[in-house]
């Protein structure tokens, strides 16, 4: 019969009739503990198979079993789900994930990478900030021979593995769905940001229209920051302009939500008068009335893929790893906000 | 005239007409770089005031300027806002926050603390998992003389500074508000969990009823896991029971959302037939129809307070710090789901 219960400092303390603090101090080499006590504690710790100090063993192996994960913002279900996906793989291999957010500020991103190196992580999994144009901080990671995996927001300027989602395809699916529901005057909410993902969504929208023989109408395209307030003001501008429109495809769920609020305030019916599709499948999309159709980017799977690319690189025998690019396919989650034809 | 632009390895590379990789390798002591090149790089780095390696300076001062922050789950606006609050203070003092989540699993919590110590953090700010009964891992932090601050979910078993919110007061405000709106048959959704915050919310509900001369009715109290599905099934049970009720105060927004869905499906009007109040002020509460009244726990402010307690402890001259407990007061955010009387 094997005793699988893990020994704690309390077990050692009980056996020796001393306090847990004394045991902890003795194990940590605190000079206030007498040699006699220290020896007794160490002897009992061995007898009870007390787990050897993990830090010491990490120093021996040269690995900390830490992955530094850098995200633009923790406070988005998309990114926190990717973190979860990375953790699922990492924890199963006895690795821990420590996370830092850049809040889209370049200095924060640079400092976070430094902090991770400072914490002696075994490598980094990162998504690049919206305004990042320089990549020295990432190059330093590669120079040290540490694995670096980029996800979602990547750059061709770094020769390293990356996992992205096909934003073009997501937008193409969303727009085609609206056309199949009978919509022909489809507005689009986008952003001027340099970052590729929004350009790809715009391109998917335009190509879906073209492929269905619908001409793009610039008066139906609105650009802002894709926040709730942007969606509200775009919807108001649309209504004020007197333009004919029967659907909105927004490159973000928040802006779609803003539009939903304004349309309902004006007494318009969703989807009968205006069909609505967002992007990213934020958790709130199933709580709105009507629930919002959106594009699922499979963040958990993206996390799994990023972690697998990371461990492939970490365990690669060669110092020079051939970078891999994985492209995931999104899916459209159809909810009541766009479902005009009951099938 | 001062040149405030930060020197990068590209500047050094350009001046010497070598690649950035060569500069980086030279600065990192890579043996593939010749002595001549290394010396030229170091000389130019000095001339251009290239920032000295932060890791080396951290090792010199004995501080890494890292705070390890442990949360039950990153994927909740409440916790990610607390992280944001801690960061605002920490970053202003040139500290970085690295985050790990326990996902309410004790082993994860223990491993995260070890990982932080392994990463040589200067201290830890933590919220305890729902099922944690042993605190050895935290005691090890204190034994090393590192600051430990607990927030939201704390324990009397650790002698260390903590910041909590007055959950009793939040529930008392919520219940009193429903009574002021004319409700007298107020159901409550709660949980059996050992963790104090839900007991306090329950106590606030009961005391508000008593203070207004309303007798508590056990048939109106439902216990589960406070997720959306729990709220749905509690609402169904309430309706099936034939019990007379005119309001629901749920100890979580998710369970309140589940109830809202069921009530609307049954054709009941909110707040006219049933007034509804949740707890935690999740971002989705303003997107529901009608928007959901909830209790704001001021997570950003909780983060600020936790960080201030942390730096007080870190900068304390004495090794023995007197633990401080800070209690924040919540506020009720009244939205349409509970507003029966237009003022």
């Amino acid at each position: 019969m094997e005793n699988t219960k893990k020994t704690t400092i309390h077990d050692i303390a009980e056996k020796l009739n001393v306090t847990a603090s004394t045991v902890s101090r003795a194990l940590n080499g605190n000079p206030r503990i007498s040699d006699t006590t220290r020896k007794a504690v160490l002897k009992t710790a061995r007898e009870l198979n007390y787990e050897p100090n993990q830090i010491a063993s990490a120093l021996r192996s040269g690995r900390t079993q830490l992955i530094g994960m850098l995200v633009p913002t923790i406070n988005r279900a998309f990114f926190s789900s990717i973190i979860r996906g990375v953790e699922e793989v990492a924890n199963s291999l006895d690795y821990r994930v420590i996370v830092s957010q850049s809040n889209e500020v370049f200095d924060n991103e640079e400092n976070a990478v430094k902090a991770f190196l400072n914490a002696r992580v075994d490598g980094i999994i990162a998504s690049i900030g919206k305004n990042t144009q320089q990549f020295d901080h990432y190059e330093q990671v590669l120079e040290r021979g540490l694995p670096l995996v980029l996800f979602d927001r990547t750059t061709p300027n770094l020769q390293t593995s990356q996992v992205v989602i096909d934003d073009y395809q997501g937008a193409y699916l969303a727009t085609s769905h609206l056309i199949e529901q009978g919509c022909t005057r489809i507005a689009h909410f986008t952003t001027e940001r340099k970052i590729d993902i929004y350009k790809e969504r715009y391109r998917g929208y335009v190509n879906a229209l073209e492929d269905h023989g619908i001409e793009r109408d610039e008066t139906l395209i609105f650009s802002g920051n894709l926040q709730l307030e942007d969606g509200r003001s775009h919807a108001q501008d649309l209504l004020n302009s007197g333009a004919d429109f029967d659907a909105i495809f927004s490159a973000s769920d928040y802006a779609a939500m803003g539009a939903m609020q304004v349309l309902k305030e004006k007494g318009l019916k969703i989807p009968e008068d205006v069909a609505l599709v967002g992007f990213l499948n934020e958790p709130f999309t199933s709580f709105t009335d009507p629930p919002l159709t959106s594009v699922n980017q499979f963040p958990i799977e993206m996390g799994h893929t990023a972690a697998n690319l990371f461990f492939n690189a970490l365990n690669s025998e060669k110092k020079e790893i051939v970078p891999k690019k994985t492209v995931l396919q999104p899916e459209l989650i159809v909810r009541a906000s766009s479902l005009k034809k009951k099938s």
Side-chain angles (χ1 to χ4, degrees), chain A:
Chain A
M1 218 171 76
E2 218 173 280
N3 181 4
T4 54
K5 192 182 158 290
K6 227 162 123 187
T7 302
T8 70
I9 56 169
H10 289 290
D11 301 322
I12 303 169
E14 200 181 343
K15 182 129 192 216
L16 292 173
N17 201 21
V18 297
T19 67
S21 294
T22 299
V23 173
S24 177
R25 287 197 184 100
L27 291 171
N28 288 317
N30 187 309
R32 280 188 285 172
I33 303 299
S34 73
D35 267 348
T36 322
T37 307
R38 189 188 332 280
K39 279 176 189 163
V41 167
L42 291 174
K43 184 165 172 282
T44 309
R46 273 192 302 274
E47 285 167 2
L48 297 177
N49 289 318
Y50 182 72
E51 194 197 335
N53 187 310
Q54 197 182 324
I55 295 163
S57 62
L59 287 174
R60 275 196 298 274
S61 75
R63 283 188 178 173
T64 53
Q65 287 169 270
L66 291 177
I67 302 173
M69 193 165 170
L70 179 62
V71 296
T73 166
I74 286 173
N75 192 8
R76 275 284 181 273
F78 177 65
F79 287 114
S80 56
S81 298
I82 296 174
I83 293 169
R84 187 83 193 93
V86 170
E87 274 184 343
E88 284 174 0
V89 176
N91 292 353
S92 74
L93 297 168
D94 280 334
Y95 266 71
R96 292 294 309 171
V97 177
I98 54 178
V99 181
S100 191
Q101 61 183 343
S102 69
N103 295 307
E104 311 284 5
V105 175
F106 177 76
D107 277 0
N108 286 344
E109 185 176 313
E110 205 176 24
N111 288 331
V113 171
K114 279 186 196 170
F116 284 145
L117 295 176
N118 206 350
R120 301 172 306 165
V121 296
D122 289 340
I124 290 177
I125 298 178
S127 194
I128 291 170
K130 275 171 189 157
N131 309 309
T132 299
Q133 305 282 341
Q134 272 203 318
F135 304 97
D136 294 1
H137 48 308
Y138 292 117
E139 275 173 9
Q140 284 176 25
V141 178
L142 295 173
E143 283 301 323
R144 287 168 185 239
L146 296 178
L148 171 68
V149 174
L150 301 178
F151 66 92
D152 191 50
R153 306 204 201 148
T154 66
T155 171
N157 293 323
L158 291 167
Q159 291 301 307
T160 196
S161 288
Q162 43 185 273
V163 49
V164 295
I165 190 105
D166 192 338
D167 282 275
Y168 169 86
Q169 179 67 5
Y172 191 95
L173 287 173
T175 310
S176 300
H177 160 72
L178 286 167
I179 297 167
E180 283 153 22
Q181 293 295 312
C183 304
T184 55
R185 301 281 303 162
I186 303 169
H188 182 48
F189 295 172
T190 182
T191 177
E192 297 287 347
R193 282 180 199 135
K194 300 233 184 294
I195 175 167
D196 277 348
I197 58 175
Y198 299 106
K199 285 188 205 155
E200 285 295 290
R201 292 179 200 174
Y202 176 76
R203 202 167 65 81
Y205 159 76
V206 170
N207 281 13
L209 291 180
E210 283 174 0
D211 288 355
H212 290 83
I214 299 174
E215 212 168 326
R216 166 175 41 163
D217 180 348
E218 292 294 337
T219 65
L220 295 181
I221 297 169
F222 293 80
S223 191
N225 283 314
L226 292 175
Q227 300 303 303
L228 183 102
E229 285 309 315
D230 299 286
R232 287 190 63 94
S233 80
H234 295 337
Q236 264 144 3
D237 291 348
L238 250 176
L239 292 169
N240 293 341
S241 75
D244 181 29
F245 72 104
D246 53 17
I248 299 171
F249 164 50
S250 165
S252 103
D253 286 329
Y254 282 91
M257 183 65 219
M260 184 185 285
Q261 290 177 346
V262 169
L263 296 171
K264 284 168 73 177
E265 285 160 20
K266 303 287 179 190
L268 290 163
K269 286 211 167 72
I270 301 166
E272 293 80 356
D273 299 323
V274 181
L276 207 52
V277 177
F279 208 103
L280 215 59
N281 202 34
E282 294 277 356
F284 73 77
T285 52
S286 53
F287 297 160
T288 57
D289 188 5
L292 183 64
T293 296
S294 192
V295 177
N296 180 13
Q297 300 258 64
F298 294 107
I300 297 271
E301 289 75 7
M302 186 180 275
H304 290 167
T305 306
N308 288 332
L309 289 170
F310 178 90
F311 285 107
N312 283 347
L314 188 71
N315 297 324
S316 168
E317 300 263 328
K318 299 182 214 163
K319 277 289 162 198
E320 297 293 324
I321 302 143
V322 183
K324 276 187 205 163
K325 181 166 181 166
T326 305
V327 181
L328 301 177
Q329 292 305 311
E331 84 177 328
L332 187 71
I333 310 277
V334 177
R335 299 196 181 93
S337 74
S338 66
L339 206 57
K340 294 173 85 161
K341 294 184 182 167
K342 318 294 172 194
S343 57

